[in-house]
Amino acid sequence: MVVGDFAEEIDTLVIGSGPGGYVAAIRAAQLGQKVTIVEKDESLGGVCLNVGCIPSKALISASHKYEELNSYDELGITVENAKVDFKKVQDWKSSIVQKLTGGIEGLMKGNNIDVVKGEAYFSDKNTVRVTKDEYTTQTYNFKNCIIATGSRPIELPDFKWSDRILSSTGALALEEIPKKIVVVGGGYIGIELGTTFANFGSEVIILEGEKQILSGFEKQMSSLVQRQLKNKGVEIYTEAKANSVEEKEDGVVVTAEVKGETETIEADYVLVTVGRRPNTDDLGLEQIGIELTERGLIKIDNQCKTSIDGVYAIGDIVAGPGLAHKASYEGKVAAEAISGEPAQVDYLAIPEVVFSEPELASVGYTEQEAKDAGFDVVGSRFPFAANGRALSLNATDGFVKLVTRKEDGLVLGAQIAGPSASDMIAELGLAIEGGMTAEDIALTIHAHPTLGEIVMEAAEVALGTPIHIMK
């Protein structure tokens, strides 16, 4: 018998505690709303903090440090017998996750947000029933609701998850470094995790269906990553399709079609990273008639409102790239819209980042996108190889590229390939958000010697007055 309580009345209900949901909850509480957040998993933080962004970057960081120990000869440093205790690496990764998820719990308490563990299901457009366990449910009547349920890895019919057939979640939880692993998908998840295992010494084979890896980035950027991967011994097959897998006791046999030829690859594991599916099923959305796209995404307006009054949606379950910072941004917009503020989304200055080698980052328009949008633009590049700090770091692959409007130098977009691209892109996002020009950036004094100077130098290229490369 399921036990239910009397319905609780609240201002705002948030479903999902990932980087969209918990940020939305905090912002709504700051604006005076009584907020309850529902999370079906044991820990707060969603995929990003528990099995995504944070643990993957921890493993990437550890793998970089290990690889660097074996590549200091050029600097006159020799390290002998460097070893990896992968259990300790995983323990360190888990400690970071625990600190951050614990921090979110503290923020919930500090903002007087009620946290409810359970699965939410819409009874009607103002009511959600939360199943806490086999015997207990609780009903909540809300004035407004923000759905932030995120996404999950797509499971291919011929590649069902198992101990040897891994999603990104499974790959991040491995107890051993694979001797050999096949990665199906050359997008950002496949490239980041493939690079990580290659740095730890795994033999890595990447199968990508498109003509290039990281197809969302300009070829001149992705080609730098491909070259670095090949230098690590990674085999990359483009225009390739993984057809099937045979699972054995101690490994897998992957059958793939590569440019018309059938290839059979034996490995310890296969990692499938072919995209993510929105978590919009099993919520009862059909009960209230929320409009969905063919992909199962929730349709929203520029304030994150759905087709149902008082119900909002953010993050991976709405259109656009599946980025944690996009979800957080939308969460703030939704919370402010509920509170009557004139907030609305503007995605132009949202950066996209890949923690590859070198790192890739892009914000605003690419040169081609700007031209397609009708702008007369100038693309201006400055290489890391001409920067003193990059040379001193022994990390000279890459460039900063600005896309500026020809008539007045307005910054419309930027792309960075190189070390610390993920950090450097913020300055250029600010430039776009603030309506700045190449001259504004060039006149901003950048500390020397820093990688940030490359942004200033790219702006000088746009103005036709470069100092450290020939015009």
Side-chain angles (χ1 to χ4, degrees):
M1 178 180 176
V2 176
V3 178
D5 297 327
F6 291 110
E8 290 189 22
E9 304 291 331
I10 56 175
D11 293 333
T12 298
L13 179 72
V14 180
I15 306 175
S17 71
Y22 85 77
V23 169
I26 291 171
R27 187 72 186 110
Q30 288 174 344
L31 292 166
Q33 299 169 38
K34 180 183 178 183
V35 182
T36 295
I37 191 167
V38 180
E39 173 54 56
K40 69 176 183 177
D41 292 326
E42 187 63 29
S43 298
L44 301 180
V47 167
C48 178
L49 266 67
N50 289 281
V51 292
C53 317
I54 299 303
S56 68
K57 302 315 170 285
L59 289 187
I60 288 169
S61 176
S63 77
H64 282 173
K65 293 182 185 303
Y66 175 69
E67 187 204 31
E68 286 172 356
L69 289 175
N70 297 297
S71 57
Y72 282 152
D73 287 355
E74 189 177 348
L75 280 64
I77 301 171
T78 301
V79 178
E80 295 182 0
N81 301 320
K83 296 179 181 179
V84 179
D85 183 334
F86 201 58
K87 183 183 184 303
K88 285 188 176 179
V89 172
Q90 288 285 24
D91 289 345
W92 173 71
K93 177 207 76 176
S94 298
S95 72
I96 294 170
V97 171
Q98 290 168 5
K99 286 176 185 176
L100 289 172
T101 55
I104 293 175
E105 290 178 5
L107 289 170
M108 296 298 103
K109 290 178 182 177
N111 285 281
N112 297 315
I113 297 167
D114 292 330
V115 177
V116 176
K117 299 295 178 68
E119 296 194 35
Y121 191 88
F122 282 90
S123 301
D124 60 48
K125 66 183 184 67
N126 292 108
T127 307
V128 156
R129 186 177 71 252
V130 177
T131 302
K132 297 183 178 182
D133 56 40
E134 187 178 353
Y135 304 104
T136 309
T137 65
Q138 175 63 55
T139 299
Y140 295 90
N141 295 332
F142 55 81
K143 296 176 183 176
N144 294 285
C145 177
I146 300 173
I147 308 172
T149 47
S151 63
R152 62 189 184 274
I154 292 174
E155 183 179 43
L156 297 176
D158 295 321
F159 290 77
K160 295 291 186 181
W161 308 134
S162 70
D163 291 340
R164 296 283 171 180
I165 304 169
L166 308 175
S167 66
S168 56
T169 300
L172 289 169
L174 280 177
E175 296 180 356
E176 64 177 1
I177 298 170
K179 292 184 177 66
K180 186 174 182 179
I181 186 167
V182 176
V183 180
V184 179
Y188 75 95
I189 296 175
I191 294 302
E192 288 182 354
L193 293 178
T195 301
T196 298
F197 289 122
N199 286 344
F200 278 131
S202 301
E203 183 180 347
V204 179
I205 298 95
I206 296 174
L207 304 174
E208 167 54 45
E210 300 292 333
K211 292 183 178 180
Q212 68 174 68
I213 60 170
L214 300 172
S215 57
F217 287 84
E218 294 179 323
K219 187 169 178 57
Q220 58 191 347
M221 300 175 74
S222 65
S223 62
L224 290 171
V225 176
Q226 181 157 331
R227 185 175 71 195
Q228 285 272 25
L229 286 168
K230 288 185 175 179
N231 288 342
K232 298 175 187 294
V234 176
E235 294 182 58
I236 299 172
Y237 297 99
T238 54
E239 298 181 90
K241 180 184 178 184
N243 290 325
S244 63
V245 60
E246 178 187 354
E247 190 171 358
K248 298 186 175 182
E249 184 178 344
D250 58 352
V252 293
V253 179
V254 177
T255 302
E257 185 179 325
V258 182
K259 297 182 179 177
E261 299 290 327
T262 300
E263 300 278 350
T264 300
I265 308 167
E266 294 188 20
D268 299 329
Y269 300 92
V270 57
L271 165 60
V272 182
T273 61
V274 293
R276 299 182 66 83
R277 190 183 310 282
N279 292 327
T280 51
D281 44 3
D282 300 327
L283 284 170
L285 299 183
E286 68 281 358
Q287 293 283 100
I288 57 175
I290 281 185
E291 290 186 31
L292 303 178
T293 69
E294 291 182 359
R295 288 186 52 219
L297 298 169
I298 298 176
K299 294 181 180 180
I300 58 170
D301 66 9
N302 62 6
Q303 288 194 309
C304 301
K305 296 177 183 176
T306 71
S307 56
I308 302 300
D309 287 343
V311 180
Y312 297 70
I314 61 174
D316 290 5
I317 57 173
V318 303
L323 301 170
H325 47 277
K326 169 180 170 286
S328 297
Y329 170 67
E330 289 169 338
K332 294 174 188 175
V333 169
E336 290 169 6
I338 288 170
S339 300
E341 299 193 6
Q344 60 184 37
V345 295
D346 178 359
Y347 296 119
L348 181 60
I350 286 189
E352 296 193 46
V353 174
V354 181
F355 291 83
S356 50
E357 293 181 28
E359 290 184 357
L360 304 185
S362 181
V363 66
Y365 289 108
T366 64
E367 187 173 356
Q368 189 58 54
E369 287 170 346
K371 289 176 179 177
D372 292 344
F375 293 103
D376 187 8
V377 296
V378 175
S380 308
R381 291 177 28 151
F382 191 90
F384 274 69
N387 173 263
R389 181 60 175 151
L391 286 162
S392 71
L393 290 169
N394 198 32
T396 56
D397 264 1
F399 58 86
V400 171
K401 179 179 179 181
L402 296 187
V403 180
T404 54
R405 192 163 62 187
K406 193 171 185 179
E407 63 186 80
D408 56 6
L410 181 70
V411 180
L412 298 174
Q415 291 78 47
I416 304 177
S420 297
S422 56
D423 297 313
M424 293 171 65
I425 201 67
E427 176 181 1
L428 292 164
L430 177 63
I432 294 170
E433 186 70 31
M436 295 179 181
T437 65
E439 184 177 27
D440 291 323
I441 295 173
L443 290 174
T444 301
I445 300 171
H446 290 65
H448 174 78
T450 62
L451 298 176
E453 289 178 281
I454 304 174
V455 175
M456 177 185 70
E457 304 259 23
E460 291 175 342
V461 173
L463 295 172
T465 58
I467 301 298
H468 291 107
I469 58 173
M470 295 303 297
K471 184 175 179 181

